[in-house]
Amino acid sequence: MNASAPHAARRLTERVVIIGAGIVGCSLAEELTARGWRHVTVLEQGPLPSPGGSTSHAPGLVFRTNTSRTLTAYARYTVEKFSSLHVAGRSCFLPVGGLEVAATPARWRDLHRKAGLAAAWGVEGELVGPARCAELFPLLDPDTVLGGFHTPGDGLARAVLACQAQIREAERRGARFLERHTVTGIERAGGRVSGVVTDRGTFPADHVVSAAGFWGPVIGAMAGVDVPLLPLAHQYARTAPLARLAGEGAEDAEARRPLLRHQDHDLYYREHLDPDGGPGRIGIGTYAHRPLPVDPFTVPSFDEAPVMPSSLPFTEDDFAPSWAETRRVLPALAGSRVEEGFNGVFSFTPDGMPLLGESRTLRGFWLAEAVWVTHAAGAARAVAELMTDGRATVDPHECDPQRFEGAQRSPAYVRDRGERSFVEVYDIVHPLQPSGAARPLRTSPFYPRQQELGAFFLESGGWERPHWYEANAPLVPEQAGPLPERDAWSARYWSPIAAAEARATRERVALYDMTPLRRLEVTGPGSLDFLQRMTTNNLRKRPGSVTYTLLLDEAGGIRSDLTAARLGPDRWQLGANTPADLDWLARHAPEGVHIRDITSGTCCVGVWGPLARELVQPLTRDDFSHEGFGYFKAKECFIGHVPVTALRVSYVGELGWELYADADVGLRLWDTLWEAGAHLGVVAAGRSAFNSLRLEKGYRAWGADMTTEHTPQEAGLAFAVRPAKGEFVGRDALAARGAPQRRLVCLTLDDPAAMVMGGEPVHVDGTAAGYVTSAGYGYSVGRCVAYAWVPARAAVPGTSVAVEYFGEKVAATVAEEPLFDPEMARIRR
């Protein structure tokens, strides 16, 4: 997939069928036709323009600021686009503003954090006191809140009106919208979609997009594609008319005051003004009730539904606590009543993010699912860009449908985590906070020993990952050293034990469970030439060599970074990041080159520290000396009784090896190393120490520090690019780029006691001009280390900047990197 001329020409002839004419389907049709696609058909089972899905009942609140930079960008584009759309003189977006209030100190502090995120992501906002909150939303009792966060550019999306406007534009360019067409099947041929079957005929297709909302799993089942999505009902009610709101609904203003979120009680409010000037109402939405899952296979059709398919009967008992709280914070409603309400169906995924992209198992079948009105236009643009150009302006990896592993796609898991996503919609969620549902799911072979050592587990990708071990608590006085006191936020999911484990790694030797890191096997004649073409570094080296390299897209953006170990002339082991890496390579692999994910059947121990060689060498007949086993080399050998693939690489900046083995002998490998290291003071160390050590060495983490939005030069990875080796994906695009306008830099906080966590804005010359990608305390350097994107002019070592942490400006300095052992003496000894 790329933006080549032949591909662009095919847009005029390729047939696209979009299933669903809700806000996402309509937005996508408009985006595709704007890019030159003409044969676009949108099929809708209900009547247009309000067919009865989630769009038809959505209250339309658009709050742009999100902990996800991607979702914030989608929401910003939604506001921008809908503001430009009009139907019969009526705007599709009302910029009434948004107001989030805090009723607890924890929420008030979180609003300071949110204000920082808004600044980092380019959203205007300000923190205001209780009196200003009541001035903005006069029904609010200022004595019930501590303050609020006001975002004047947020507002109401008129979703059905926006559908009408985009239908008009798409039809003008040649698209067609067919109502009352119920999809009954997806035709397939040769691993690709070939058509969509409906109750009114079959529509041939080269691309099919499921934008069916909570019916997504139904459409996916017809295509043989798993759609990890759970529909859940969410309560929405309207009060009886309020005389206080009379006479304000003229001039197309269905609301005048900001949208209000009272997230400490999972509530939100908006006005519903009378266009004829009569008394208006207040709309109330709540997530405070129990999860109410809905089976999408049993939802009635439009004609069979009492109101509409997405509107279920209101359950008053579930709403009662929310109504009581509403009358407390909005005392003007004390004498009012709930006049009408419904349980509206919305889509939730296991992690609360959308599903955007092409299926790996059925080519030409695309998902644009689990998208709320807030992000609709931005998500549609992303899918249109992926279909047209093979890449999106805003990196969409958080929304990739393949991000869930096979173990995370069971109906039970999707239900458990989907319900958890619903419960946490308005929760204050820490960036390290694991879900409390469906655990443990994936464990390494070392899990029993980790439990015995008192591992504190967090979770990622379904894997249980130790962050520290309580067995190391006695080392804290000896090895942690004096540590600054942490604030409540940075102290969550952290222990001073991590400092002791980091120090033990620097001074002795530690074992790290690296099993969750993805491993791919590439074999077959032509594998070298294939990998040379797909990656940036020169892999034309002898078997036994290891190379750090990058996967780029056609525009030169970083799709992933890899560690490529050549184990034989035609056999490779790749250390990769996400399932998308396997998909990308498999799509481009020539006949005879085979790629498979071997992660689940294998395991890995990182043995790192100055005494690593003393631990490993007595366990093998192979030469593990520096001369016999150099840095970035690989060997297949035995450690005790266990056959391993040993790679001399280190992501903590110390001497050592990654030892890979089959999962069935993994526990024996751990026990062998543990017993042999006892006299050396070996410790088990967790991800908390690992993250500190890798930041001190300046090692990037794909998905956090860099994505497809960034080039190697910008990310400080130009050393991994070898244009002279010959043609590779993204080479020409890199050559055509000018000097970087931004760079990823290392920051150290000037105050050794200060902490940041990631996502905070970076102020340059007093203005928010960048943001932190990842951060952690550097126990070896004695202060917090943060990586951040800043303008190129500020990327000079010694430059003073400020990082905003919960509303406070923390002084920081751009540092020369790496901070620890820049001569690489420790890692190469």
Side-chain angles (χ1 to χ4, degrees):
M1 296 190 301
N2 57 55
S4 63
H7 185 86
R10 286 199 302 272
R11 299 179 205 163
L12 301 177
T13 59
E14 289 189 335
R15 300 157 299 182
V16 179
V17 175
I18 299 172
I19 302 172
I23 190 61
V24 178
C26 292
S27 297
L28 179 57
E30 195 282 330
E31 293 285 341
L32 285 173
T33 56
R35 287 166 171 76
W37 294 58
R38 294 294 176 257
H39 299 280
V40 176
T41 300
V42 183
L43 302 176
E44 174 53 58
Q45 63 179 339
L48 294 175
S50 184
S54 301
T55 298
S56 301
H57 74 249
L61 282 71
V62 177
F63 285 86
R64 290 166 295 170
T65 306
N66 194 287
T67 55
S68 164
R69 179 174 171 272
T70 298
L71 290 190
T72 301
Y74 289 171
R76 288 179 60 192
Y77 183 73
T78 297
V79 169
E80 176 187 329
K81 183 175 183 180
F82 288 3
S83 296
S84 70
L85 300 176
H86 296 79
V87 175
R90 301 180 68 199
S91 174
C92 294
F93 184 78
L94 297 179
V96 295
L99 176 63
E100 300 177 63
V101 295
T104 64
R107 182 69 62 177
W108 182 229
R109 183 166 168 77
D110 191 61
L111 289 185
H112 283 75
R113 182 175 74 108
K114 183 165 283 188
L117 290 171
W121 309 152
V123 176
E124 179 189 359
E126 65 171 340
L127 292 162
V128 297
R132 177 59 175 157
C133 289
E135 182 181 337
L136 289 165
F137 201 92
L139 300 182
L140 176 70
D141 179 359
D143 292 334
T144 63
V145 300
L146 302 176
F149 178 51
H150 179 222
T151 46
D154 291 340
L156 284 171
R158 289 166 154 169
V160 174
L161 209 63
C163 286
Q164 289 180 262
Q166 293 179 107
I167 288 172
R168 178 189 63 203
E169 287 301 304
E171 286 182 334
R172 184 176 62 81
R173 302 186 189 113
R176 57 178 178 167
F177 288 74
L178 304 178
E179 62 180 4
R180 301 288 188 176
H181 281 64
T182 299
V183 173
T184 59
I186 306 294
E187 293 187 334
R188 294 164 272 176
R192 288 194 61 88
V193 293
S194 57
V196 177
V197 182
T198 76
D199 59 351
R200 300 176 66 176
T202 298
F203 296 82
D206 301 296
H207 301 272
V208 173
V209 185
S210 177
F214 59 80
W215 284 286
V218 179
I219 301 301
M222 296 179 190
V225 174
D226 181 34
V227 179
L229 175 160
L230 177 71
L232 285 152
H234 156 64
Q235 292 196 302
Y236 191 78
R238 296 189 193 195
T239 66
L242 300 170
R244 185 168 177 174
L245 298 180
E248 300 187 5
E251 299 179 3
D252 192 37
E254 63 183 76
R256 290 187 179 277
R257 296 172 183 85
L259 316 173
L260 178 66
R261 290 210 288 202
H262 177 33
Q263 293 172 260
D264 285 308
H265 286 268
D266 299 310
L267 284 158
Y268 64 82
Y269 308 96
R270 58 154 291 186
E271 295 177 321
H272 290 278
L273 301 180
D274 185 343
D276 298 321
R281 307 165 189 262
I282 293 295
I284 308 164
T286 178
Y287 294 96
H289 55 82
R290 62 194 167 95
L292 299 167
V294 176
D295 183 352
F297 291 88
T298 63
V299 175
S301 67
F302 186 92
D303 293 322
E304 295 172 339
V307 180
M308 66 175 76
S310 62
S311 180
L312 304 181
F314 191 59
T315 50
E316 293 185 8
D317 289 346
D318 289 314
F319 192 73
S322 293
W323 179 235
E325 175 62 20
T326 293
R327 286 180 292 175
R328 187 184 73 85
V329 297
L330 307 180
L333 302 183
S336 184
R337 60 187 171 84
V338 174
E339 186 168 88
E340 59 185 39
F342 64 95
N343 291 3
V345 184
F346 288 90
S347 300
F348 288 80
T349 59
D351 61 2
M353 297 293 287
L355 302 169
L356 308 177
E358 189 177 12
S359 166
R360 182 195 301 171
T361 56
L362 181 62
R363 296 307 182 204
F365 186 79
W366 299 77
L367 296 180
E369 297 289 9
V371 180
W372 292 6
V373 171
T374 301
H375 312 109
R381 178 180 67 169
V383 175
E385 290 174 333
L386 290 171
M387 295 177 68
T388 303
D389 302 323
R391 72 187 309 271
T393 303
V394 177
D395 180 81
H397 81 273
E398 291 179 297
C399 308
D400 188 338
Q402 317 306 330
R403 67 186 182 274
F404 299 114
E405 308 284 350
Q408 297 175 288
R409 305 181 81 94
S410 70
Y413 184 92
V414 172
R415 179 179 175 123
D416 289 347
R417 288 294 175 94
E419 290 184 355
R420 187 69 184 178
S421 293
F422 176 91
V423 169
E424 293 180 345
V425 164
Y426 280 172
D427 284 2
I428 301 171
V429 179
H430 193 276
L432 294 177
Q433 182 173 326
S435 173
R439 292 182 63 196
L441 181 64
R442 308 176 79 187
T443 60
S444 82
F446 321 133
Y447 186 65
R449 299 295 181 263
Q450 293 166 345
Q451 289 179 301
E452 292 169 5
L453 293 170
F456 180 86
F457 292 99
L458 297 181
E459 183 257 2
S460 178
W463 287 100
E464 295 296 318
R465 306 181 78 169
H467 272 242
W468 65 83
Y469 294 84
E470 290 296 330
N472 295 324
L475 300 178
V476 172
E478 169 193 346
Q479 292 202 278
L483 296 173
E485 184 176 349
R486 292 195 170 214
D487 65 284
W489 187 251
S490 64
R492 292 183 67 185
Y493 306 107
W494 174 84
S495 168
I497 295 173
E501 293 174 358
R503 188 68 59 84
T505 306
R506 293 280 189 234
E507 296 179 354
R508 300 195 304 275
V509 61
L511 304 185
Y512 288 83
D513 181 3
M514 307 302 289
T515 301
L517 301 186
R518 188 168 309 280
R519 293 172 289 287
L520 306 179
E521 180 185 73
V522 181
T523 58
S527 56
L528 170 60
D529 291 338
F530 165 64
L531 291 174
Q532 280 283 80
R533 187 174 71 254
M534 295 303 299
T535 69
T536 59
N537 214 332
N538 186 11
L539 305 186
R540 200 172 295 278
K541 302 172 183 176
R542 295 177 181 176
S545 297
V546 180
T547 307
Y548 178 78
T549 188
L550 307 173
L551 290 177
L552 303 183
D553 62 21
E554 296 285 353
I558 304 172
R559 286 189 59 95
S560 188
D561 61 344
L562 306 176
T563 301
R566 192 176 189 186
L567 303 180
D570 299 315
R571 185 163 64 91
W572 303 75
Q573 179 175 299
L574 305 182
N577 287 296
T578 73
D581 296 341
L582 172 64
D583 186 46
W584 177 254
L585 292 170
R587 285 178 184 237
H588 293 82
E591 186 175 352
V593 173
H594 306 285
I595 307 168
R596 67 187 185 103
D597 191 324
I598 61 172
T599 309
S600 296
T602 56
C603 60
C604 178
V605 183
V607 184
W608 290 311
L611 302 183
R613 184 174 286 116
E614 293 181 43
L615 192 160
V616 176
Q617 183 61 82
L619 301 174
T620 180
R621 293 183 178 181
D622 285 81
D623 184 358
F624 270 58
S625 69
H626 183 64
E627 295 74 21
F629 198 155
Y631 186 55
F632 263 72
K633 299 297 181 183
K635 281 186 180 183
E636 292 181 290
C637 57
F638 288 86
I639 298 296
H641 297 88
V642 181
V644 302
T645 298
L647 273 56
R648 190 174 167 193
V649 295
S650 172
Y651 288 97
V652 300
E654 295 292 338
L655 169 69
W657 291 265
E658 291 179 354
L659 302 177
Y660 296 89
D662 290 340
D664 60 346
V665 291
L667 191 58
R668 181 62 177 266
L669 174 61
W670 179 277
D671 288 345
T672 300
L673 294 167
W674 187 258
E675 292 167 9
H679 73 287
L680 300 173
V682 68
V683 302
R687 295 292 299 182
S688 187
F690 177 90
N691 191 54
S692 171
L693 298 171
R694 73 100 181 165
L695 285 167
E696 292 179 334
K697 284 299 294 181
Y699 295 138
R700 276 68 167 145
W702 187 88
D705 298 321
M706 73 277 192
T707 67
T708 55
E709 296 179 36
H710 310 110
T711 67
Q713 290 82 355
E714 293 171 333
L717 298 175
F719 68 88
V721 181
R722 295 287 185 268
K725 75 169 184 174
E727 188 62 36
F728 59 83
V729 175
R731 178 176 179 264
D732 293 342
L734 288 183
R737 286 181 178 260
Q741 300 301 303
R742 60 185 175 179
R743 289 192 181 276
L744 182 68
V745 298
C746 175
L747 304 178
T748 55
L749 303 192
D750 294 356
D751 181 356
M755 279 293 299
V756 298
M757 298 286 291
E760 299 87 358
V762 176
H763 295 259
V764 179
D765 298 328
T767 302
Y771 60 92
V772 174
T773 58
S774 55
Y777 196 83
Y779 302 111
S780 303
V781 299
R783 64 190 62 242
C784 183
V785 181
Y787 273 78
W789 284 100
V790 299
R793 61 182 170 81
V796 180
T799 302
S800 295
V801 299
V803 181
E804 184 178 335
Y805 184 68
F806 287 92
E808 299 292 330
K809 301 292 195 308
V810 180
T813 302
V814 177
E816 193 82 48
E817 58 174 321
L819 297 172
F820 184 81
D821 188 26
E823 298 82 15
M824 301 286 284
R826 298 172 69 92
I827 208 169
R828 295 180 182 274
R829 56 187 168 191

